[in-house]
Amino acid sequence: MVMSSAHGSLNGFWSYDEYLALHPEQKSLTTELDAQVQAEPVPFLGAMEPIKISVVVPGEQISDYWQRNVRAFERRLNALNIPYQLQQVTTRPNTDIREQSASLYAALRDGADYLIFTLNSVRHRKFINHVLSQNKTKLILQNITTPVKAWQDNQPFLYVGFDHQRGSRALASYYQERYPEGVNYSVLYFSQGYVSDARGDTFIEAMSSHADSNLLSAYYTKGDRESGYQAAKAMLNNNPKLDFIYACATDVAFGAVQALDELGRDTVGLNGWGGGSAELDAIAAGQLDVTVMRMNDDTGIAMAEAIKRDIEDQPVPVVYSGRFEVVTRYDDPKRIEALKKKAFRYSD
């Protein structure tokens, strides 16, 4: 565990809102794509050879975001009448770098038309630079909605996800309303990298404008449940006046659930991030207070619709963010059920 300085930022990236403001034509395209995502599928009517798609994602997590996303993607492609062959490699987050690299280079060697990957580390970035330097395989970057400034004239085919900054600000608004007189909190980061910067530092920045808001501690983790448990335990032991822990990801949040339970600190609040099935069950059980729930299948559907636009020679936006809803343990279960039906409309 490493104590974060909590002053990281998204240097080198345009924020989602900033990029769309700078590029009005992109804002129009993103709005167009979102309308297609929310609408019923319009099948492709032409004849074509199956497209080749490679997916390399960190899906071995408590969060079911990645698995659901691929399922929604495939089902929407089928609904759009687009023939395809899909090769998928699932790894653990922040590990299996050698395996990831082998799979990524194999996708290029095999002539994939579209490669779906993510960006959370310097190693990822080096590979992406390599992909962008060739013209055959089109790159879809998952779980990132902030275009890289250095790639200004040669961006990936599509950045797609749920904007981490928007989601984190929504959680900050919830906590500010819940603790109007001020609050003591700690931050449980994901591993060092883009997701921690976008979720953790954005939250801290948003909370800094709140009356008497005190950040007591912040720790990076390995992005898994065990390191989340160890970090949360240290936070709780060192901070008797802690009001809540802000967790940057599902797995570390569940580690904190274990620490809170073990130490009997049931007055300390805790959030989830993403609102997948495991988090919603924990909300219902009172283990989590709040989460920002992704309308999960939006992004899988968006990837399929973007590929259809590409096949039909229509312009594709550079970036797309799906929609969020804040869900709390105090919500009417009927509201949560309705949101589940919308969020998981293809992946259930």
Side-chain angles (χ1 to χ4, degrees):
M1 293 181 300
V2 181
M3 177 70 180
S4 166
S5 66
H7 293 302
S9 66
L10 291 181
N11 288 335
F13 298 87
W14 280 295
S15 75
Y16 184 67
D17 295 321
E18 179 186 19
Y19 186 79
L20 294 182
L22 285 168
H23 301 88
E25 77 289 351
Q26 287 295 323
K27 188 168 187 177
S28 298
L29 288 173
T30 298
T31 301
E32 248 180 71
L33 180 60
D34 186 56
Q36 291 174 302
V37 168
Q38 305 307 327
E40 291 299 310
V42 178
F44 175 68
L45 298 176
M48 59 179 289
E49 290 295 310
I51 56 173
K52 295 172 74 173
I53 304 167
S54 287
V55 181
V56 182
V57 293
E60 294 181 20
Q61 304 179 45
I62 296 171
S63 169
D64 56 357
Y65 167 73
W66 295 97
Q67 298 97 317
R68 283 186 177 278
N69 200 56
V70 174
R71 204 178 308 147
F73 173 55
E74 290 201 72
R75 288 178 178 173
R76 187 68 166 204
L77 283 174
N78 291 332
L80 291 172
N81 195 36
I82 295 173
Y84 68 93
Q85 298 169 351
L86 188 140
Q87 184 86 21
Q88 181 176 353
V89 176
T90 304
T91 64
R92 292 186 299 279
N94 308 304
T95 58
D96 300 334
I97 295 294
R98 192 173 296 173
E99 180 192 343
Q100 268 190 355
S101 296
S103 302
L104 291 163
Y105 282 106
L108 296 185
R109 195 169 55 247
D110 295 345
D113 297 299
Y114 300 92
L115 171 61
I116 299 170
F117 188 45
T118 190
L119 169 59
N120 189 47
S121 71
V122 173
R123 286 179 177 176
H124 291 169
R125 192 158 174 161
K126 285 179 181 175
F127 173 77
I128 292 164
N129 278 325
H130 176 72
V131 179
L132 295 177
S133 70
Q134 54 86 53
N135 297 317
K136 164 71 175 153
T137 300
K138 294 180 179 178
L139 183 64
I140 297 175
L141 285 183
Q142 260 277 15
N143 205 31
I144 172 171
T145 57
T146 52
V148 175
K149 290 181 178 179
W151 299 335
Q152 181 167 2
D153 299 321
N154 189 28
Q155 292 290 351
F157 173 71
L158 178 68
Y159 296 87
V160 61
F162 293 84
D163 188 60
H164 303 295
Q165 292 184 301
R166 284 185 169 186
S168 299
R169 290 188 191 112
L171 284 168
S173 295
Y174 166 81
Y175 279 116
Q176 288 170 4
E177 288 174 21
R178 184 170 172 189
Y179 299 99
E181 303 302 319
V183 65
N184 296 314
Y185 72 100
S186 290
V187 170
L188 202 53
Y189 279 104
F190 195 61
S191 58
Q192 285 184 288
Y194 171 82
V195 171
S196 284
D197 292 347
R199 293 183 182 177
D201 294 345
T202 297
F203 182 83
I204 291 167
E205 185 182 345
M207 289 297 292
S208 67
S209 63
H210 185 49
D212 201 20
S213 166
N214 301 306
L215 174 63
L216 300 184
S217 60
Y219 286 94
Y220 285 116
T221 68
K222 293 178 181 176
D224 58 17
R225 184 171 183 158
E226 176 59 26
S227 61
Y229 162 71
Q230 297 292 348
K233 202 170 170 185
M235 287 173 173
L236 292 162
N237 285 329
N238 293 333
N239 301 294
K241 294 184 177 179
L242 197 59
D243 292 307
F244 75 85
I245 294 172
Y246 173 75
C248 285
T250 300
D251 288 56
V252 293
F254 276 90
V257 166
Q258 184 183 344
L260 288 166
D261 184 56
E262 190 176 295
L263 297 175
R265 297 285 292 276
D266 57 0
T267 61
V268 177
L270 177 67
N271 68 288
W273 215 111
S277 301
E279 285 191 7
L280 296 177
D281 289 344
I283 290 263
Q287 294 173 314
L288 296 175
D289 299 299
V290 61
T291 190
V292 61
M293 182 180 175
R294 297 177 279 222
M295 295 297 100
N296 193 96
D297 294 357
D298 279 7
T299 49
I301 296 167
M303 292 191 300
E305 291 288 349
I307 287 173
K308 179 174 180 253
R309 289 178 73 93
D310 191 40
I311 290 166
E312 294 178 336
D313 292 322
Q314 295 182 52
V316 176
V318 170
V319 62
Y320 174 81
S321 175
R323 303 181 181 198
F324 289 106
E325 293 283 348
V326 173
V327 174
T328 79
R329 63 192 290 185
Y330 310 107
D331 280 351
D332 185 335
K334 288 180 182 175
R335 175 180 184 255
I336 296 176
E337 280 307 310
L339 289 174
K340 279 185 185 177
K341 283 181 182 172
K342 184 180 180 189
F344 308 139
R345 59 196 184 274
Y346 272 84
S347 61
D348 260 351

